């Protein structure tokens, strides 16, 4: 067995109603006053969560300050705007609330308030921060990104263009509050997209050459939970049991990629998003089957293990996945999304530029492999 290490400094609080724990956590920061909540433009007010957070923070005699302009797919400009707002109020604590985008933006803001620098110079960089940031608390309201337990903040830089993570062990949240009740307001479409994102984390971490015994355990359990409970969560969003299982699956996926990283499904998804702004979950659904087909025998043994987690016939996993994704009306072909073949070469270049990621794959693609994959996905059936 290879020598390995795994470290996650985030204290995880999980379960229905665990949001109330925020009051106790904030009281532990007795010498602080201003709490900056970073979120998207719609969810906080529509769900009533803004009022609940304000009430909890008021109880600690701290001042809640809300920034709710994070877009669904954050860009360098979006992070800069959030950072400028934060500098005007100089918070003592940053709280990210929402899906992966608000959590990632909050993560970067908390770090850059102390470390400074330009956002564009950090995208795609590993360990750019020299000092710890402002204490950061993550509260996910979707079940997919796992950002609450990862060192990644994925940002689009249109000037390059590219979509890549800012990676730092210092950017792990201090606390993660994972409350399945907060996901009830997610639409069936959002539930499906984020759930497939969680599965992509589990699959890619399990297939990674950087996989560890602990990440394998998390990946297998996360995949099992998605296979068994995502459809129920999509069909009956008010049912807390599948919501709780999917929240746990998302957490497991985050723990898995925190140690083992993601792979080619993510890199192709990131490359496409630069051009057409496709949502992350849709991109994961789009490239999942083609990438697994490309891996072929190189990933066969591990894919058989994952199939058995969901009580799926291993020989039928690819066909099962294709039908399963289609049943949730998720895209499985470039013909299903706004794709211009003129993007192909630049997409391939973006993927191939991520050498540190490519080296962890079960089968490393050549540029021609990727061009062939994209052409096949764009061709008529």
């Amino acid at each position: 067995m290879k020598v390995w290490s795994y470290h996650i400094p985030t204290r995880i609080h999980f379960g229905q109603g665990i949001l109330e724990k925020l009051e106790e956590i904030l009281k532990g920061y007795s010498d602080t006053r201003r709490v900056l909540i970073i979120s998207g433009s719609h969810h906080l007010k529509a769900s009533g969560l803004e009022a609940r957070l304000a009430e909890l923070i008021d109880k600690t005699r701290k001042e809640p300050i809300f920034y709710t302009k994070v877009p669904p797919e954050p860009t360098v400009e979006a992070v800069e705007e959030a950072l400028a707002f934060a500098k005007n109020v100089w918070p003592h604590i940053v709280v990210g609330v929402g899906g992966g985008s608000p959590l990632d933006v909050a993560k970067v803001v908390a770090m850059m308030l102390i470390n400074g620098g330009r956002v564009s110079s950090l995208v795609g960089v590993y360990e750019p921060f020299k000092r710890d940031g402002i204490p950061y608390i993550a509260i996910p309201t979707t079940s997919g990104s796992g950002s609450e337990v990862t060192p990644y903040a994925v940002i689009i830089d249109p000037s390059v263009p590219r979509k890549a993570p800012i990676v730092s062990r210092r950017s792990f949240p201090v606390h993660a509050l994972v409350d399945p009740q907060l996901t009830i307001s997610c639409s069936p479409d959002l539930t499906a997209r984020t759930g497939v994102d969680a599965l992509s984390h589990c699959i890619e971490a399990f297939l990674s050459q950087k996989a560890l015994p602990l990440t394998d355990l998390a990946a297998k359990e996360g995949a099992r939970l998605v296979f068994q409970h995502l459809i129920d969560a999509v069909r009956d969003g008010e049912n807390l049991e599948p919501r709780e299982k999917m929240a746990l699956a998302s957490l497991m996926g985050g723990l898995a990629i925190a140690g083992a990283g993601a792979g080619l499904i993510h890199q192709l998804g990131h490359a496409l998003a630069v051009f057409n702004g496709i949502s992350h979950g849709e991109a994961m659904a789009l490239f999942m089957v083609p990438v697994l087909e490309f891996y072929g025998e190189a990933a066969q043994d591990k894919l058989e293990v994952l199939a058995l987690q969901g009580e799926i016939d291993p020989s039928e996993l690819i066909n099962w996945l294709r039908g399963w994704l289609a049943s949730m009306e998720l895209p499985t072909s470039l013909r299903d999304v706004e794709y211009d073949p003129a993007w192909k070469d630049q997409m391939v270049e973006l993927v191939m530029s991520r050498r540190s990621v490519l080296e962890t794959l079960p089968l490393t693609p050549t540029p021609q492999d990727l061009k062939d994959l994209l052409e096949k996905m764009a061709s008529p059936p």
Side-chain angles (χ1 to χ4, degrees), residues 6-7 81 139 193 217 254 256 266 303:
Y6 180 84
H7 174 68
E81 289 180 0
I139 304 176
R193 287 188 278 117
L217 288 172
H266 274 72
L303 287 179

Side-chain angles (χ1 to χ4, degrees), residues 73 154 156 162-165 200 204 262-295 334 337-339 343-354 357-358 361 363-377:
E73 296 294 327
V154 181
I156 295 174
R162 64 179 168 181
K163 179 178 181 180
S200 72
E204 298 222 277
L264 186 56
I265 299 171
H266 274 72
Q267 296 312 311
L268 284 165
H270 289 173
L272 180 59
V274 166
F275 294 98
N276 71 354
I278 187 173
S279 74
H280 184 63
E282 286 183 309
M284 297 302 95
L286 178 65
F287 289 108
M288 184 174 290
V289 167
V291 168
L292 297 183
E293 286 182 321
F294 163 72
Y295 288 153
L334 286 173
V337 301
E338 294 182 7
Y339 170 72
W343 301 338
K344 178 181 63 178
D345 289 346
Q346 199 163 359
M347 284 179 61
V348 170
E349 184 179 344
L350 287 170
V351 173
M352 296 304 298
S353 70
R354 302 289 294 165
V357 176
L358 295 177
L361 306 181
L363 180 64
T364 304
T366 65
Q368 190 59 51
D369 288 332
L370 297 180
K371 291 178 183 180
D372 291 344
L373 184 151
L374 293 172
E375 288 174 1
K376 181 179 179 181
M377 291 180 68

